[in-house]
Amino acid sequence: SPARVKLDPLAAAVKSTLQKAAATGTTLTWTQIRAQLPPGLPALERSQQTAVLIQVDRSRAGTAPLLSALVTGADHDMHPAYPRIAAAAGRLAPRGNLEAVAQWAVEVSRFQRAQ
């Protein structure tokens, strides 16, 4: 059952994949992330993907850019769950979609500037 999926091994694998993307300043769709995960890990529903990304970002230092910012939608724009993930990681909740996109763009640029 998807509700019984243990998220810790998935979060560790996703974090590793996103750290590699961060090192190159690139973004990935969930499909691209999934293709890089070890075989045998279960597929996730969207709510579980969000829970995994929250777990990944909660393990980061307070001022470190959020790895979840590197997860994009199919057209490489902000993932729809990003505002919820950022809020769960302790970032200020955006007031509206425009502010959310701006916050997301800043986070992505922090990884790209590190190159």
Side-chain angles (χ1 to χ4, degrees), residues 50-82:
T50 301
V52 163
L53 293 171
I54 288 170
Q55 193 170 338
V56 165
D57 281 334
R58 282 189 175 158
S59 70
R60 309 263 300 155
T63 60
L66 299 178
L67 287 170
S68 61
L70 298 175
V71 182
T72 61
D75 53 1
H76 295 282
D77 59 355
M78 180 184 78
H79 192 281
Y82 177 76

Side-chain angles (χ1 to χ4, degrees), residues 2 7-8 10 13 21 26 28 41-42 47-48 51-52 58 66 68 79 82 86 88 95 98 104 107 109:
L7 298 182
D8 288 345
L10 283 160
T26 58
L28 299 169
L41 291 177
S47 65
Q48 293 169 314
V52 163
R58 282 189 175 158
L66 299 178
S68 61
H79 192 281
Y82 177 76
R95 295 181 309 255
L98 188 58
W104 169 77
E107 288 294 290
S109 73

